[in-house]
Amino acid sequence: MEAIILQVLNGLDKGSAYALIALGLTLIFGTLGVVNFAHGALFMIGAFCAVTLSRILTLSHTIIDETRTDFLGNPLKVDVPYVYGWFGESAGAAIIDWAVPLSILFAIPVMITLGVVMERGLIKHFYKRPHADQILVTFGLAIVLQEVIKYFYGANPIPTPAPDAFRGSFDFGAMLGFDPNIIIYPYWRIIYFVFAAIIIGGVFAFLQFTTFGMVVRAGMADRETVQLLGINIDRRFTLMFGLAAAVAGLAGVMYTPINSPNYHMGMDFLVLSFVVVVVGGMGSLPGAVLAGFVLGILESFASMREVLEVLPGINQIIIYLVAIIILLTRPRGLMGRKGVMED
Amino acid sequence: MSKTTLTRRGVLSRGAVAGAGLAVPTIFTGSSVAGFTNEPTGGAVTLGFNVPQTGPYADEGADELRAFELAVEHLNGGGDGGMMSTFSSNALEGTGILGKKVEYVTGDTQTKSDAARASARSMIEKDGAVMISGGSSSGVAVAVQALCQEAGVIFMAGLTHSNDTTGKDKKANGFRHFFNSYMSGAALAPILGANYGNDRKAYHLTADYNWGYTTEEAVRTSTEAIGWETVAAVKTPLTQTDFSSYIAPVLQSGADVLVLNHYGGNMVNSLTNAVQFGLRDKIVNGKQFEIVVPLYSRLMAKGAGANVKGIFGSTNWHWSLTDAGSQAFVKSFGTKYGFPPSQAAHTCYVQTLLYADAVARAGSFNPCAVAEALEGFEFDGMGNGPTLYRAEDHQCFKDVLVVKGKENPTSEFDLLEIVEVTPAAQVTYDASIFGGDLGSCNPGA
């Protein structure tokens, strides 16, 4: 029982990341009809927004500590962040400590701008081209973006920790009446799950309860009719691309304390996220979210030692196996709509 | 007078033989005039440095390349000479190798065996490289070593830690200065026993590829020998990024030590995840829960940040060593590049000097003469104390460092502290235990 609860919890945070990326992918596909293989790169760039803000906050001047030496035996150069001078050492340290949450504010405008520039500058030229062309150009863009990041930040992972207040883990087992230390779960992963739920809820509420969202939904259902009503649907879809980029970017920002970001992290998520989109049903936002959590939880269960002893290697294929079964039994995915990607 | 009759079958069979002959790469045929592959004839000799310039180990590859450049500079008489002044052999004079100026070409292994072989082949065939060195992966090392054996050039391995490189996959033309999984286990176990006690239950997470298997086996064997029990060993996919579903069940298993047989990005992520789950804050079986990382790399430790604090592991070399050779190298490298060298850089620098020295002592670039000069060669002054290049398997035997993540680092490079310098005798093993056949040296001609 404890193992089951534990793996469900693990699946929830993994599923949160899949769901957030798949949500953005589906938004772009549903509005613009583009299969965006650069979406994983947007997740990665979001993570590097956190790295960048962290570096900005730790911009320093150098003082010489004559009492200590560096590796060459010279007096040690010590970097002192400017924020220490501006806000005092304890307040400055607290600001640096909270770099990841603060990065949310930094990432939103960056990611929306990047999304809009990507859409207007490149992707709009491929709307009327076959999906294969769209995949090639967006995949190429993803590689360019990750190489640019590697050029500036290097190939090694860069540690970007959570604030001190959220380090460590919560003992769920003790709360539920199990022995202590049996079901533990890191605080930051709980925050990630709650954050993902808020973002997903926010996107759905935005589409459901605002006029802008209503027009976008109408455009997704029948683009031509909306345009005939004199509404500039293209501009709204461009903004939706920016919104999808921001969702992926925020998913990346909040993921940085879970795994140190590196230039390749987007590709690690991309293929799985596409499987999530297809399993959820092309163009279905609730389907993407549902499939994200279902596949995340299944992946966690497949990694259990007891399962691996019976089915060695199942952890590496479970998502694809489930995808095959679902697509064989429900060709449009869990919540796919008729007519999407069927022409 | 003979009469030649052309038949369809005869033309086909002769054509097939001729075609096969033409299809054999030139490096495998060589010239009967030349004594060996790529015999230097002008005033220069070319070395081939095959390092990961793209992919996840690109930073490690860049550090290797810096070390190679420094070694070439020193061999040609530039800079401060680095370890050439501390090296116990006095065959190198800073006038190149056998009077020939040292030049080099580089290749990108991409940390993929096929790409590494292709770039090594290109450096041998097109650029005339007489020696290949570098790399950051055992898979790559084994693949390139086999190619060099076929081609008739010397392979001076870079960072490769699997037992197989000088075990079941050893080759007469290949030489490894870096330590291996067995040595890590042998060096670590006594320190783990002294610090954590002999009554421990270990849970292994192991990267699902060759290096992971040999490291798990080495650490299991050596820790079980001091009384530890292995409660579980779970293989994790090499492509895994989030290890939470593997780490969460560890406490339920009754284990009180987690051994992470991971390297590179795997190590950074699994260690980060394990610390996030608060494993090190827990008391299990009445003992503090501990984590062990058998193979440390400073460059990788940097990626894990503060999570490495207090965690034991082993390493081939560290810039904080105080012997004259290490200090000379750190000074040369640090002055030129502004930061201390990694263990990968140290290995590549040392391998280049060792190759040059062997050529100088042999008086020839012939790989068989070089191999003979390296086999059984004992030296000092290169940073790991007295060292032997064992003739039986071409593995170096030297002191191994047991390190621990530093609690209060003074800089971004100051991440590990040396806990113990394990003497070479303690990590030496019988050359036959890992099988394999060295074969005979191939000069390529």
Side-chain angles (χ1 to χ4, degrees):
Chain A
M1 186 61 191
E2 302 94 306
I4 292 171
I5 296 172
L6 202 51
Q7 294 305 343
V8 169
L9 286 171
N10 279 327
L12 286 180
D13 72 66
K14 210 172 282 186
S16 301
Y18 294 158
L20 282 173
I21 300 174
L23 180 67
L25 274 171
T26 305
L27 271 176
I28 291 172
F29 182 76
T31 52
L32 302 168
V34 172
V35 182
N36 181 24
F37 261 66
H39 209 69
L42 294 174
F43 174 78
M44 178 267 295
I45 288 176
F48 275 89
C49 282
V51 174
T52 305
L53 185 70
S54 180
R55 289 193 174 178
I56 291 170
L57 292 176
T58 50
L59 280 175
S60 305
H61 64 278
T62 304
I63 59 169
I64 305 293
D65 183 349
E66 299 284 354
T67 62
R68 294 187 291 172
T69 55
D70 67 8
F71 70 99
L72 289 173
N74 302 318
L76 186 67
K77 292 176 182 170
V78 180
D79 292 333
V80 180
Y82 289 113
V83 290
Y84 285 13
W86 298 336
F87 302 105
E89 190 165 341
S90 61
I95 290 170
I96 292 170
D97 186 40
W98 281 74
V100 171
L102 289 172
S103 300
I104 293 171
L105 302 175
F106 177 65
I108 290 172
V110 170
M111 296 308 299
I112 290 177
T113 306
L114 180 65
V116 169
V117 169
M118 262 175 71
E119 196 273 336
R120 286 290 89 187
L122 181 69
I123 292 174
K124 76 167 185 178
H125 302 294
F126 288 81
Y127 286 154
K128 292 179 181 168
R129 303 275 283 270
H131 284 307
D133 288 10
Q134 296 172 354
I135 289 170
L136 281 174
V137 74
T138 52
F139 192 69
L141 179 63
I143 291 171
V144 169
L145 288 173
Q146 73 173 28
E147 290 302 316
V148 168
I149 290 293
K150 192 172 84 174
Y151 178 79
F152 286 105
Y153 294 90
N156 275 352
I158 301 168
T160 318
D164 275 338
F166 300 120
R167 289 183 200 170
S169 56
F170 178 68
D171 197 334
F172 266 107
M175 191 181 79
L176 297 172
F178 295 101
D179 290 337
N181 291 340
I182 294 298
I183 307 173
I184 53 170
Y185 202 63
Y187 289 119
W188 189 259
R189 287 175 187 259
I190 299 170
I191 288 170
Y192 193 81
F193 173 66
V194 172
F195 178 80
I198 291 170
I199 293 287
I200 291 167
V203 169
F204 277 98
F206 177 71
L207 291 173
Q208 200 67 35
F209 303 121
T210 66
T211 308
F212 187 98
M214 186 183 70
V215 173
V216 167
R217 280 189 294 122
M220 287 168 77
D222 190 341
R223 183 189 186 118
E224 286 183 4
T225 304
V226 174
Q227 280 177 319
L228 286 172
L229 292 172
I231 296 170
N232 186 349
I233 194 69
D234 287 347
R235 204 173 70 181
R236 283 171 170 78
F237 280 178
T238 299
L239 288 174
M240 288 310 293
F241 197 106
L243 177 67
V247 169
L250 292 180
V253 166
M254 294 296 278
Y255 200 74
T256 53
I258 293 176
N259 277 338
S260 301
N262 67 73
Y263 76 101
H264 199 261
M265 65 189 296
M267 285 294 180
D268 297 335
F269 274 90
L270 181 70
V271 176
L272 287 175
S273 299
F274 264 100
V275 175
V276 168
V277 169
V278 173
V279 168
M282 292 297 287
S284 168
L285 296 175
V289 175
L290 175 67
F293 285 109
V294 167
L295 293 180
I297 290 169
L298 281 174
E299 194 185 9
S300 284
F301 274 102
S303 306
M304 289 172 69
R305 184 162 51 96
E306 295 80 357
V307 175
L308 288 171
E309 282 170 1
V310 180
L311 297 166
I314 188 70
N315 52 340
Q316 306 205 40
I317 60 167
I318 182 71
I319 283 189
Y320 308 102
L321 200 62
V322 171
I324 290 168
I325 293 168
I326 288 180
L327 292 178
L328 279 174
T329 53
R330 294 179 65 87
R332 293 194 187 103
L334 292 173
M335 301 177 76
R337 290 178 295 143
K338 188 178 180 184
V340 178
M341 285 285 273
E342 290 178 356
D343 49 346
Chain B
M1 185 177 172
S2 64
K3 183 182 174 184
T4 304
T5 308
L6 284 175
T7 65
R8 179 180 148 275
R9 181 167 297 182
V11 169
L12 283 175
S13 60
R14 284 170 201 151
V17 170
L22 289 170
V24 175
T26 53
I27 54 170
F28 302 135
T29 55
S31 157
S32 60
V33 177
F36 49 90
T37 299
N38 294 336
E39 182 176 4
T41 51
V45 58
T46 304
L47 309 181
F49 300 139
N50 207 18
V51 305
Q53 297 182 47
T54 56
Y57 294 145
D59 284 1
E60 201 156 60
D63 221 37
E64 290 186 359
L65 215 45
R66 291 183 196 106
F68 282 132
E69 286 168 0
L70 190 65
V72 168
E73 182 182 322
H74 290 168
L75 286 172
N76 286 330
D80 61 7
M83 279 183 175
M84 281 171 52
S85 58
T86 61
F87 189 16
S88 57
S89 172
N90 296 315
L92 296 173
E93 297 170 338
T95 54
I97 308 176
L98 291 183
K100 294 182 187 295
K101 185 185 177 195
V102 182
E103 295 177 346
Y104 67 90
V105 289
T106 68
D108 181 8
T109 67
Q110 302 173 36
T111 316
K112 295 174 184 167
S113 297
D114 53 349
R117 279 178 67 96
S119 57
R121 182 186 291 273
S122 171
M123 288 189 285
I124 296 167
E125 284 188 337
K126 292 181 183 166
D127 303 313
V130 72
M131 179 274 270
I132 299 293
S133 185
S136 273
S137 139
S138 291
V140 162
V142 167
V144 175
Q145 181 168 258
L147 176 90
C148 290
Q149 177 71 32
E150 294 164 13
V153 299
I154 290 289
F155 176 62
M156 302 295 282
L159 197 156
T160 161
H161 188 246
S162 168
N163 292 336
D164 291 350
T165 309
T166 47
K168 76 176 180 60
D169 296 313
K170 59 179 171 263
K171 301 289 180 199
N173 284 39
F175 291 84
R176 170 163 67 177
H177 176 267
F178 207 74
F179 72 149
N180 64 21
S181 301
Y182 176 93
M183 296 178 186
S184 284
L188 265 174
I191 303 301
L192 296 177
N195 283 274
Y196 301 151
N198 295 329
D199 179 25
R200 283 282 188 168
K201 292 180 168 48
Y203 191 109
H204 288 251
L205 288 181
T206 302
D208 195 2
Y209 71 112
N210 179 280
W211 172 80
Y213 310 150
T214 67
T215 303
E216 180 196 308
E217 185 192 0
V219 178
R220 276 181 75 153
T221 306
S222 54
T223 52
E224 285 172 5
I226 62 165
W228 287 25
E229 179 191 346
T230 304
V231 296
V234 177
K235 291 182 175 52
T236 58
L238 194 55
T239 53
Q240 193 74 29
T241 53
D242 183 359
F243 289 85
S244 58
S245 49
Y246 295 94
I247 285 166
V250 171
L251 288 177
Q252 293 176 352
S253 70
D256 46 40
V257 177
L258 173 63
V259 182
L260 297 172
N261 300 305
H262 290 148
Y263 186 69
N266 274 180
M267 186 279 272
V268 170
N269 289 333
S270 63
L271 179 57
T272 302
N273 291 168
V275 173
Q276 274 169 9
F277 269 78
L279 295 190
R280 298 196 70 216
D281 305 327
K282 306 298 177 194
I283 303 292
V284 182
N285 306 327
K287 307 177 191 81
Q288 186 74 39
F289 194 98
E290 301 292 352
I291 301 172
V292 178
V293 175
L295 177 60
Y296 257 131
S297 146
R298 193 202 79 216
L299 291 173
M300 302 303 169
K302 192 176 164 188
N307 297 318
V308 300
K309 287 183 179 180
I311 291 176
F312 282 107
S314 67
T315 193
N316 190 59
W317 178 85
H318 192 258
W319 61 266
S320 64
L321 282 167
T322 54
D323 65 280
S326 295
Q327 288 304 296
F329 178 52
V330 170
K331 186 180 171 210
S332 290
F333 191 100
T335 305
K336 187 175 174 76
Y337 300 113
F339 46 85
S342 63
Q343 62 173 349
H346 170 257
T347 286
C348 290
Y349 178 88
V350 169
Q351 285 282 69
T352 309
L353 258 53
L354 284 170
Y355 170 79
D357 174 75
V359 171
R361 285 186 292 112
S364 168
F365 288 97
N366 186 319
C368 293
V370 176
E372 194 179 334
L374 283 169
E375 286 176 344
F377 179 50
E378 293 182 56
F379 58 94
D380 201 352
M382 301 291 258
N384 294 94
T387 305
L388 164 69
Y389 238 130
R390 187 160 69 178
E392 290 84 351
D393 55 2
H394 294 185
Q395 171 67 51
C396 260
F397 287 87
K398 53 194 168 29
D399 297 347
V400 170
L401 306 183
V402 177
V403 292
K404 189 168 77 166
K406 204 165 187 177
E407 294 289 350
N408 296 302
T410 55
S411 72
E412 60 178 314
F413 314 111
D414 186 29
L415 300 173
L416 305 173
E417 61 180 312
I418 298 168
V419 176
E420 172 92 357
V421 179
T422 306
Q426 195 177 314
V427 299
T428 301
Y429 54 88
D430 190 309
S432 64
I433 64 171
F434 296 123
D437 177 19
L438 202 58
S440 55
C441 166
N442 176 21

